Amino acid sequence: MIGSDGRLVQTAVIGGPASGRAIILPADADELTRWRRRHPSYTYWCGMQLGGCGHELSDRLYRDKVCHFAHRPHTSCHRTATGAAGADHLFIKDDLAAWAGRNRLKGQATSRNLGSGPGDAVDFRVGAARQHVRFQFSRLAHAEWRRTRQRFSGETATLDWVFGPGAAQPETMEELYDEYGHLLRFRFETHGAVRRIRLRAEDPRRSTDWVPLDACAMTPEGLRIPGVQPRRRPGPGPAAGSGTGRAATPVRRSREEQVLALKAALVGAARFRTRPTWEALARTAGSDLLGLSVPDRVGLLVAVERTADGEGSPLLSALIRTGESDPPPYVGDVVAAVGCGAPATAAVLKRWCQREADRAFAVYGVPSRTAPPRMPLTPDGRLAAQQGAEPAQLHTIVHVKGGKVQQSAARPRPAHLAGVPLLHDTELRHALRSARNRRGPRPRYATALLARAEEALRRLPEPQRSELVAEMVTTRRWLDNRPDTPARKPRRSRRAANAAEAQKTAAVNQSGRAKRTQQRKKGKTAKNPLQGARPLPGFDPRTEKRPR
């Protein structure tokens, strides 16, 4: 049977509809034959924990196609996750139970339905130590992740969040990079009729090897993966207050020490290509910065900018963001104080800071690259037109009776780019990301942005080109999954285009040959004007006298 999403049903549970023992049916006929001989008493069900209907399934053996499960006749089922990965949340529960038993941990694994199915997440809790590990399968919005994390932190001593493929938002990744120095990932590998979990830790520069769960350990600081030294920060949970009983009063440092520590923290954030909040900076540069007032923060950041390496260095203060990923309003005061201009609106400040953040990533990243130019501000706080971003409009003076009229001679914009601002090449990646959250006719706007990005790919160097390509791929997938996106015309392959061109050339050549043949016939007729004419009356060519 084909699932409701058009795929073969490859997974089921053994024993009954409420069972949690999952299986992947062998796809090869000989393998399925051996499986039947080893397990003649097994019964297979479209399990409730798989999001299925609960009816019994039969295993279908085929020699000419892939073997798969099938429902009984006249059975209605709306299960969507029918592939090999559709039972991963059950396979991980088996792995966690076996791992906890071998390590003498009194843990329990529970699957969670967060809105799209029973396999959205799996929570593993160790009761006595009040430790919690969340395995995130489905993609979770950054705001929802922060709320859930804050709730979990108040209930547990340690909290580790492990993300599956594509499950972490970019903002979530940046926050975890800044706080812990790495991000925990998991994936699955198929072994016969089951799948086994593998884990690793990664940061913007490198990643550890994928290791099985048996290579990991549950320590007092949380889940430990080989090759990673955890950089934990005290959080809002109970573990933050536990310790040796020392006083938690921060040590007050001199102004020079604060400036140096804050600059080092900002440079480190730029090296990891992250944009931290002020609270995250305080955890890195010193807890005495956390209680500073807004004027004190502005004065400290201005002092940091005045220690820049040279004129034209990126403004490190532009890296700071709020929980909503917007620059704090006081960053505009820093921009004005260092002589870069005074942004008139929050939107201008956000775009200006995005450009400065890209410049900081280019200068301090590993490896470093050429930074894009700084985005200039006009005296009234608006964004100045970038060189090459918008063609200069030519004006023609037309003399008419009664005076002169000024007319614009600018070329009209292409129809497929109507409504798209003339962005700089390095801003297209951010524009594509924000287009997916834009209200109104988003597919049309995003399609126009993709056309503009295609033109910019030829001009961008690495790694901006790769980053833009990744954002374009994500946007195209988002467009393809939207019901209001108009269908795209099928793209012809190079071979089909060459064949069409050859056919067209052959038709032209054939037409030319026919034309030349007709012209030759007309030429012969012109040389002998009497050709084809009837003889005169009384003239018989047979009686014509030949010259002797």
Side-chain angles (χ1 to χ4, degrees):
M1 174 183 174
I2 305 297
S4 60
D5 59 351
R7 295 183 298 174
L8 297 176
V9 179
Q10 296 179 277
T11 52
V13 295
I14 301 173
S19 171
R21 187 180 177 188
I23 176 185
I24 303 175
L25 190 71
D28 182 73
D30 294 335
E31 293 180 1
L32 180 55
T33 301
R34 291 191 292 269
W35 176 268
R36 285 176 172 179
R37 291 172 182 171
R38 289 195 300 266
H39 311 286
S41 61
Y42 277 2
T43 58
Y44 308 107
W45 302 78
C46 187
M48 306 299 291
Q49 296 189 49
L50 295 175
C53 59
H55 291 89
E56 189 173 2
L57 302 174
S58 59
D59 52 339
R60 299 292 178 88
L61 188 148
Y62 298 96
R63 293 288 178 180
D64 56 344
K65 57 182 179 180
V66 175
C67 304
H68 58 84
F69 289 112
H71 285 78
R72 300 294 172 87
H74 311 294
T75 300
S76 177
C77 181
H78 300 283
R79 175 182 164 195
T80 57
T82 59
D88 283 349
H89 61 290
L90 298 183
F91 290 131
I92 194 176
K93 290 173 66 176
D94 293 340
D95 284 350
L96 288 171
W99 178 66
R102 288 189 292 268
N103 290 274
R104 299 180 180 180
L105 297 174
K106 294 182 180 180
Q108 182 179 4
T110 308
S111 58
R112 303 294 183 188
N113 188 340
L114 304 181
S116 60
D120 288 338
V122 172
D123 289 326
F124 179 71
R125 296 177 181 267
V126 179
R130 300 179 65 235
Q131 294 180 301
H132 186 183
V133 182
R134 160 65 68 93
F135 295 89
Q136 189 70 42
F137 286 82
S138 63
R139 194 170 179 86
L140 193 63
H142 179 62
E144 180 65 23
W145 172 80
R146 293 197 69 183
R147 288 193 295 268
T148 308
R149 185 192 186 204
Q150 186 176 6
R151 177 168 55 86
F152 286 165
S153 298
E155 300 170 355
T156 59
T158 63
L159 174 63
D160 291 281
W161 218 295
V162 194
F163 293 90
Q169 297 282 356
E171 297 84 359
T172 304
M173 297 169 60
E174 290 179 3
E175 190 165 333
L176 289 173
Y177 287 152
D178 177 73
E179 185 168 354
Y180 295 102
H182 61 268
L183 178 74
L184 299 182
R185 294 278 195 183
F186 73 85
R187 72 177 186 185
F188 284 85
E189 295 179 358
T190 303
H191 296 271
V194 298
R195 283 163 64 84
R196 300 301 183 195
I197 190 174
R198 296 290 186 269
L199 297 94
R200 79 174 181 184
E202 62 182 37
D203 60 32
R205 295 182 299 174
R206 62 182 182 86
S207 302
T208 63
D209 296 331
W210 290 103
V211 296
L213 193 59
D214 284 336
C216 306
M218 183 62 73
T219 67
E221 291 78 22
L223 184 64
R224 178 73 176 275
I225 294 179
V228 175
Q229 293 294 333
R231 192 181 64 178
R232 290 196 173 272
R233 314 287 187 192
S242 61
T244 60
R246 296 179 181 178
T249 304
V251 177
R252 189 68 179 179
R253 295 172 295 177
S254 65
R255 177 65 172 260
E256 291 75 12
E257 292 175 339
Q258 290 179 336
V259 169
L260 292 176
L262 183 57
K263 182 178 180 180
L266 287 170
V267 170
R271 183 175 294 112
F272 285 101
R273 302 181 62 83
T274 61
R275 298 187 62 185
T277 62
W278 183 264
E279 291 74 18
L281 281 175
R283 288 194 295 266
T284 304
S287 57
D288 56 335
L289 304 181
L290 190 59
L292 293 181
S293 62
V294 171
D296 291 339
R297 295 183 187 182
V298 173
L300 196 61
L301 289 171
V302 170
V304 169
E305 303 304 339
R306 288 175 178 169
T307 63
D309 298 332
E311 186 178 358
S313 297
L315 200 75
L316 293 172
S317 302
L319 297 173
I320 304 175
R321 62 173 178 84
T322 63
E324 290 74 26
S325 298
D326 295 326
Y330 58 82
V331 173
D333 299 334
V334 180
V335 176
V338 297
C340 294
T345 63
V348 172
L349 177 62
K350 184 174 182 178
R351 287 190 59 191
W352 194 91
C353 288
Q354 286 175 349
R355 168 63 64 82
E356 280 307 292
D358 288 339
R359 299 181 70 241
F361 295 159
V363 173
Y364 297 105
V366 179
S368 61
R369 54 183 172 83
T370 303
R374 172 169 289 167
M375 184 176 292
L377 295 174
T378 60
D380 60 348
R382 303 293 176 178
L383 293 174
Q386 294 294 302
Q387 184 178 3
E390 185 174 359
Q393 293 186 353
L394 303 179
H395 297 279
T396 303
I397 305 299
V398 181
H399 296 276
V400 296
K401 186 177 180 180
K404 56 183 181 180
V405 179
Q406 199 173 29
Q407 295 182 350
S408 174
R411 293 181 298 176
R413 299 183 66 185
H416 68 283
L417 295 180
V420 180
L422 291 171
L423 302 173
H424 198 271
D425 293 347
T426 56
E427 298 173 355
L428 287 170
R429 181 167 55 91
H430 303 286
L432 286 171
R433 185 180 303 174
S434 62
R436 299 194 292 270
N437 300 321
R438 177 188 173 101
R439 295 184 179 180
R442 294 181 289 178
R444 182 181 302 174
Y445 180 78
T447 303
L449 276 177
L450 286 173
R452 176 62 56 79
E454 288 285 356
E455 299 175 358
L457 284 179
R458 298 189 298 269
R459 301 187 297 267
L460 282 175
E462 292 291 346
Q464 294 100 315
R465 177 186 173 89
S466 300
E467 295 173 353
L468 181 58
V469 168
E471 199 65 40
M472 290 170 63
V473 170
T474 303
T475 305
R476 286 197 181 99
R477 290 176 181 171
W478 173 81
L479 282 172
D480 293 339
N481 293 331
R482 288 184 58 85
D484 55 348
T485 301
R488 290 189 294 176
K489 295 182 180 179
R491 187 176 181 180
R492 292 194 306 174
S493 64
R494 182 177 298 178
R495 181 179 296 177
N498 294 338
E501 186 67 23
Q503 185 177 3
K504 183 178 179 180
T505 304
V508 171
N509 294 337
Q510 184 177 1
S511 176
R513 288 194 297 269
K515 188 175 181 179
R516 289 192 295 270
T517 302
Q518 186 176 3
Q519 289 177 352
R520 285 196 298 270
K521 290 181 179 179
K522 289 183 178 180
K524 292 179 179 179
T525 304
K527 292 179 181 178
N528 187 6
L530 296 180
Q531 184 179 1
R534 291 181 298 175
L536 295 174
F539 176 77
D540 189 357
R542 293 174 297 179
T543 60
E544 181 182 4
K545 295 181 178 181
R546 297 180 180 178
R548 294 179 180 178

